[in-house]
Amino acid sequence: MTTSAIIQFNNVTKNYDNNPPILDEVSFKIERGKFYTLLGPSGCGKTTILRLIAGFTEATSGEIYFNGKKINHIPANKRQVNTVFQDYALFPHLNVYENVAFGLRIKKMKKQAIDAKVKEALSFVNLHGYEEREIKNMSGGQRQRVAIARAIVNEPEVILLDEPLSALDLKLRYQMQYELRELQRRLGITFIFVTHDQEEALAMSDEIFVINKGKIQQSGTPNDIYDEPINRFVADFIGESNIVKGTMIADNLVEFGGKRFACVDRGMDPNEPVEVVIRPEDMEITTEENGMLNVTVDSQLFRGVHYEIGGRDQEGNEWLVQSTKKSVVGEKIGLRFDPESIHVMRFNETEEDFDRRLDSYSEEEANGK
Amino acid sequence: MENKLSRNLFMIPYALWIILFVVSPILLVVYFSFFDIEGNFSFINYKNFFTPVYMQMTFSSFWYAFLITVLSLLVAYPTAYLVTRTKHKHLWLLLIIVPSWINLLLKAYAFIGIFGTYGAANSFLEFIGIGSRQLLFTDFSFVFVAVYIFIPFMILPIFNALDNLNPSFVYAAKDLGASKWVTFRRIILPLTMDGIKAGCQVVFIPALSLFMLTRLIAGNQVITLGTAIEQHFLVTQDWGMGSTIAVFLIFIMFIIIGLTGFRKRGA
């Protein structure tokens, strides 16, 4: 085990009674000092992972390590992690100061030390001067900050955040995304952030774990996951995508929509059936004659920054294009895209195989040049 | 306009009820308290109330009501806590509440049977070798039966308070390093204090004026203000003195309600 891994899950399974598992043989490593996001639809098991790390629930099988020590049976109050809850869970009978000081008082710290730390934590989240405020007199955004201050004041090694931004309005949510990211950089503590909002995940994280049905589908940097989704679920869940059925003719050549296109994917069997992903923003609208693929426009929405144009090709595949240029419903248009914009996905490929295949040809390219 | 009219119309039954059965009896009680046993207007009853006899009674009323409240709380809080943890908590709650539907008098007579010289309690004491004791007509049996009767009334508000407690507060406390005991003392107890207060009010105030149990179970070994009122109205026919005690009881109740408070917590 590497020294920088702070949390490690080995084949962790969690199920209640005899129901199908909420987490199914999950293994991963969390490195020190990074911002991690567990991303997935509701009920996928992401919150269960958080609760297992916090110690609110115990794994049915598998091992959980923290700093190299197995912590499966260590109670929550003895763990070096703190949680920011979805509903903040600020104690309504205590004021801001006492909420933040709660953990320090339990550690029986000296009065002056508590005072200094609480003040520091509050100024960290821009709540200086709010010490005596009652929780019920604070706005959602302010409560959020108190909850964060209450977690960071204990100087934990890991902070767990359970969808903490979901109750805020859009503008405040954007602002808090910046603030959280900034806070994590300043503190250098490991953040594990749970969300179902893919935009939030892409904007804030160093690493994203995409989770579905109790399994980690793909893990990687936001760029990796956006550009090279491993399967249909990930491609669909993260960002808008066009996913069509195709055939991998040979390395660097794929067929879909009745035509053959050059691409940069390799390592599949000849004539293997595959799925092809092209992001709507990677396609350019042109005239019918210049198009690599021709579609008939059947819908157009104005989104402010761009138009969202929907159409169908001859084979009936749907295509979504984002363009600043307007088009006319019913008209035939051509679409152009680079070989790099095409991403080919195999069916049922595991993450290890996927990574190995990608590594093999990126090394080849590096050697060739 | 019409809305206001219909609302006033709906108020009539309530207002009638309050005037007939709450306000006028209190006024009558206050009125009667100013007449001595011969029917002359005087303050003699108020003077008499501050004699050692009545002070002793007031003190023992308070003492027993206090004992009954504390003991019911000690039984009710853990029970309510356990019930909120069970799977079918509302069913368990119902089972606890059911005995309170049975008439108080019936329950009192049942206890006479149980605590009597040849009752179940004494047979049990005999069986475990302690030997039979005088149980009925002692202050122990009085407190025991009163606590038994009041427990459901104490459990109900505490159960509601515990049930409304957001479980993430408990998780948050654990997360911040609090042990079970600290979580209870610093989080659960203060956040369910309103339930405890409501329960204590519901038990303490009626316990102050218990009179039937004092006769049936305690055999007049325990004389409370409630007993005194009953005796004055039914036996000595001194309505004036009975009313005066009632005035003091009402006064004390208002003080208790004021002290424990109907303070509402903001959202």
Side-chain angles (χ1 to χ4, degrees):
Chain A
M1 200 165 113
T2 54
T3 49
S4 60
I6 186 161
I7 294 173
Q8 190 173 351
F9 272 47
N10 284 349
N11 302 320
V12 174
T13 297
K14 173 77 190 173
N15 50 4
Y16 291 101
D17 303 328
N18 286 321
N19 298 322
I22 295 175
L23 280 186
D24 190 6
E25 300 269 317
V26 167
S27 302
F28 61 83
K29 270 182 197 171
I30 300 265
E31 283 172 30
R32 203 178 288 277
K34 282 190 178 176
F35 197 119
Y36 286 85
T37 298
L38 308 179
L39 175 65
S42 53
C44 71
K46 56 192 192 298
T47 299
T48 306
I49 294 180
L50 218 59
R51 293 173 62 85
L52 284 167
I53 298 173
F56 300 147
T57 184
E58 278 195 27
T60 311
S61 67
E63 293 100 49
I64 302 168
Y65 292 93
F66 187 88
N67 271 338
K69 275 198 214 84
K70 191 170 161 185
I71 55 161
N72 283 45
H73 303 296
I74 293 184
N77 55 339
K78 301 266 188 271
R79 296 193 186 188
Q80 299 245 330
V81 296
N82 284 115
T83 310
V84 176
F85 291 85
Q86 187 168 13
D87 57 2
Y88 315 141
L90 297 172
F91 305 128
H93 61 303
L94 303 176
N95 63 16
V96 170
Y97 184 95
E98 286 304 320
N99 261 286
V100 178
F102 191 87
L104 302 177
R105 289 212 193 281
I106 282 165
K107 287 184 198 141
K108 302 241 154 51
M109 222 174 245
K110 285 222 174 68
K111 227 175 168 223
Q112 290 101 323
I114 291 178
D115 210 49
K117 274 177 182 285
V118 170
K119 294 244 158 78
E120 190 195 350
L122 283 175
S123 61
F124 241 118
V125 294
N126 300 324
L127 278 181
H128 184 73
Y130 283 82
E131 286 84 354
E132 302 303 319
R133 235 3 132 83
E134 293 296 324
I135 299 301
K136 62 169 181 271
N137 296 331
M138 300 192 90
S139 70
Q142 289 169 333
R143 288 180 196 197
Q144 166 82 80
R145 286 162 210 256
V146 178
I148 293 167
R150 190 175 67 174
I152 63 174
V153 78
N154 301 296
E155 294 168 2
E157 296 203 55
V158 177
I159 288 189
L160 309 172
L161 302 106
D162 186 7
E163 308 214 19
L165 306 183
S166 59
L168 305 178
D169 62 58
L170 191 68
K171 222 167 179 176
L172 199 55
R173 196 150 66 209
Y174 276 146
Q175 191 193 332
M176 285 307 294
Q177 287 175 10
Y178 278 105
E179 283 187 25
L180 272 180
R181 182 74 239 226
E182 177 58 30
L183 191 69
Q184 191 270 332
R185 288 217 175 100
R186 271 192 292 166
L187 295 169
I189 305 178
T190 313
F191 273 42
I192 304 178
F193 185 91
V194 159
T195 184
H196 60 265
D197 183 332
Q198 43 101 7
E199 249 180 81
E200 215 163 81
L202 292 172
M204 297 166 74
S205 325
D206 290 316
E207 286 286 313
I208 298 177
F209 293 157
V210 185
I211 301 166
N212 190 33
K213 292 183 180 158
K215 280 184 183 292
I216 294 181
Q217 303 288 323
Q218 190 173 8
S219 57
T221 65
N223 277 324
D224 285 349
I225 288 184
Y226 191 82
D227 292 339
E228 313 275 352
I230 185 172
N231 57 26
R232 191 183 184 98
F233 173 80
V234 176
D236 209 29
F237 196 74
I238 304 203
E240 299 277 355
S241 6
N242 293 296
I243 306 173
V244 296
K245 286 199 160 51
T247 313
M248 198 71 187
I249 304 299
D251 279 358
N252 299 335
L253 190 65
V254 65
E255 184 183 284
F256 59 89
K259 287 182 181 170
R260 290 183 179 196
F261 299 95
C263 66
V264 293
D265 295 272
R266 289 193 223 171
M268 284 80 148
D269 302 326
N271 295 321
E272 182 182 330
V274 290
E275 283 180 307
V276 177
V277 182
I278 306 177
R279 297 285 183 188
E281 70 273 16
D282 288 340
M283 288 193 288
E284 206 183 313
I285 293 181
T286 175
T287 57
E288 220 186 317
E289 302 83 60
N290 291 332
M292 295 157 73
L293 196 70
N294 293 331
V295 300
T296 314
V297 177
D298 54 18
S299 68
Q300 177 168 263
L301 281 180
F302 179 57
R303 289 280 189 196
V305 189
H306 53 74
Y307 288 96
E308 205 166 84
I309 297 153
R312 278 171 195 281
D313 63 17
Q314 299 98 303
E315 291 201 334
N317 297 315
E318 281 183 56
W319 293 94
L320 195 71
V321 187
Q322 288 169 356
S323 167
T324 49
K325 275 186 247 164
K326 219 173 154 173
S327 69
V328 180
V329 173
E331 218 171 56
K332 278 207 157 195
I333 55 168
L335 298 176
R336 293 191 67 81
F337 37 84
D338 300 331
E340 288 80 23
S341 302
I342 300 174
H343 172 65
V344 179
M345 301 185 298
R346 302 176 86 174
F347 287 99
N348 302 321
E349 192 171 32
T350 65
E351 206 183 347
E352 291 94 64
D353 292 341
F354 176 78
D355 289 340
R356 206 173 301 134
R357 184 166 61 80
L358 253 59
D359 284 345
S360 72
Y361 64 79
S362 53
E363 263 167 43
E364 267 174 49
E365 270 165 33
N367 294 340
K369 272 172 196 169
Chain B
M1 278 303 279
E2 210 180 276
N3 238 337
K4 215 171 177 182
L5 188 79
S6 64
R7 200 173 61 198
N8 287 341
L9 225 66
F10 289 134
M11 284 289 284
I12 289 174
Y14 174 74
L16 271 179
W17 178 272
I18 292 287
I19 290 166
L20 274 177
F21 298 113
V22 180
V23 177
S24 51
I26 290 178
L27 290 178
L28 273 177
V29 160
V30 173
Y31 174 78
F32 278 125
S33 72
F34 292 112
F35 291 93
D36 65 14
I37 194 159
E38 323 280 66
N40 306 314
F41 181 85
S42 84
F43 291 103
I44 184 84
N45 296 326
Y46 286 86
K47 214 176 120 195
N48 281 342
F49 187 79
F50 290 99
T51 55
V53 182
Y54 288 104
M55 283 292 103
Q56 170 75 42
M57 256 184 240
T58 313
F59 175 78
S60 83
S61 290
F62 263 92
W63 169 243
Y64 283 109
F66 173 77
L67 262 185
I68 291 163
T69 311
V70 169
L71 291 175
S72 344
L73 179 64
L74 286 180
V75 179
Y77 201 99
T79 312
Y81 185 79
L82 286 178
V83 169
T84 54
R85 293 292 144 122
T86 54
K87 221 172 184 179
H88 305 286
K89 52 187 174 188
H90 288 284
L91 178 70
W92 286 109
L93 187 67
L94 185 75
L95 289 179
I96 289 170
I97 303 288
V98 161
S100 69
W101 295 348
I102 297 165
N103 186 292
L104 180 68
L105 207 54
L106 275 179
K107 281 188 280 193
Y109 278 111
F111 270 105
I112 293 177
I114 292 169
F115 281 152
T117 318
Y118 304 105
N122 266 326
S123 314
F124 179 71
L125 289 181
E126 198 86 50
F127 176 73
I128 59 170
I130 293 175
S132 79
R133 292 283 158 94
Q134 177 65 39
L135 292 174
L136 205 58
F137 309 139
T138 59
D139 50 358
F140 161 79
S141 59
F142 168 65
V143 172
F144 186 93
V145 175
V147 167
Y148 165 80
I149 285 165
F150 282 124
I151 276 174
F153 300 99
M154 185 66 103
I155 286 180
L156 208 55
I158 295 175
F159 172 85
N160 283 332
L162 281 168
D163 204 33
N164 288 335
L165 185 75
N166 181 348
S168 62
F169 291 148
V170 177
Y171 284 125
K174 269 193 209 164
D175 189 71
L176 293 166
S179 61
K180 278 200 170 119
W181 168 242
V182 173
T183 306
F184 174 75
R185 200 169 48 85
R186 302 274 312 270
I187 304 299
I188 300 176
L189 192 63
L191 287 177
T192 52
M193 203 39 106
D194 282 358
I196 295 174
K197 279 182 184 169
C200 287
Q201 273 179 12
V202 173
V203 172
F204 188 83
I205 293 171
L208 259 186
S209 53
L210 274 178
F211 67 90
M212 213 168 48
L213 289 182
T214 55
R215 199 132 46 85
L216 291 174
I217 304 290
N220 285 344
Q221 298 289 310
V222 176
I223 295 176
T224 60
L225 292 178
T227 327
I229 295 172
E230 189 216 8
Q231 296 292 312
H232 277 306
F233 272 85
L234 300 180
V235 182
T236 65
Q237 299 286 313
D238 186 355
W239 286 28
M241 193 59 222
S243 298
T244 307
I245 301 170
V247 168
F248 277 101
L249 259 185
I250 293 168
F251 187 63
I252 291 164
M253 285 172 193
F254 276 112
I255 290 177
I256 291 164
I257 291 174
L259 282 180
T260 47
F262 275 120
R263 195 170 56 91
K264 284 203 173 76
R265 200 199 308 277

